[in-house]
Amino acid sequence: MQLDDLYRRVIMDHYKTPRNRGKFDDETLTVELNNPTCGDRISLHLVIVDDIVKDARFTGDGCSISMSSASMMTEAVKGRTFAEAMDLADRFSCLMKGEPAEFDDYEDIEALSGVNKFPARIKCATLAWNALKKGINEESKQ
């Protein structure tokens, strides 16, 4: 199997069977973002305790890229400090720019590496990550 085929399968797996889809009864932080150019929208729900992302879920609608990216992101940030989560988001930004980035602890994210070849789709892939950054920045100011 070629790498591109494997990556497509990982993306479609996260799209068809998203991890962490849903809300919390008593979430501590909700961030809503949308991509007006394509209609993707996400609500990111984070449980924050002592500057740690204890849990993460999402709701929303969008293409396979945006929804699979949200699924991967919520998996990757659980249990991370704000600094660690922001570092992951920064590495993801590098990946979207075509720069080298490694995700040893959560390799599924690398399946989105081919998105950088399609500039119009980068906003789809980064929507959930931008919501994460916005949420952490807002929470850090309090």
Side-chain angles (χ1 to χ4, degrees), residues 2-107:
Q2 291 184 352
L3 191 57
D4 285 345
D5 291 336
L6 175 63
Y7 282 173
R8 274 190 214 102
R9 287 181 188 218
V10 170
I11 290 168
M12 290 311 294
D13 178 50
H14 277 273
Y15 178 64
K16 291 179 180 178
T17 313
R19 283 56 154 185
N20 309 303
R21 189 163 182 86
K23 299 178 182 180
F24 298 105
D25 291 334
D26 56 345
E27 71 255 359
T28 58
L29 178 63
T30 297
V31 179
E32 296 185 11
L33 286 182
N34 66 35
N35 181 353
T37 59
C38 67
D40 293 346
R41 61 180 184 78
I42 187 170
S43 292
L44 179 61
H45 311 279
L46 301 171
V47 174
I48 307 292
V49 178
D50 297 328
D51 295 343
I52 295 173
V53 180
K54 288 291 188 182
D55 208 347
R57 294 185 186 169
F58 74 99
T59 56
D61 297 302
C63 67
S64 60
I65 299 294
S66 68
M67 295 294 103
S68 61
S69 183
S71 174
M72 293 174 196
M73 185 273 297
T74 56
E75 282 286 287
V77 300
K78 285 183 185 181
R80 307 269 183 171
T81 65
F82 283 179
E84 292 168 335
M86 290 297 265
D87 177 61
L88 274 173
D90 289 343
R91 283 190 274 156
F92 189 76
S93 292
C94 288
L95 186 71
M96 291 298 102
K97 294 175 189 170
E99 298 170 3
E102 291 188 19
F103 301 91
D104 295 331
D105 43 357
Y106 198 72
E107 294 176 352

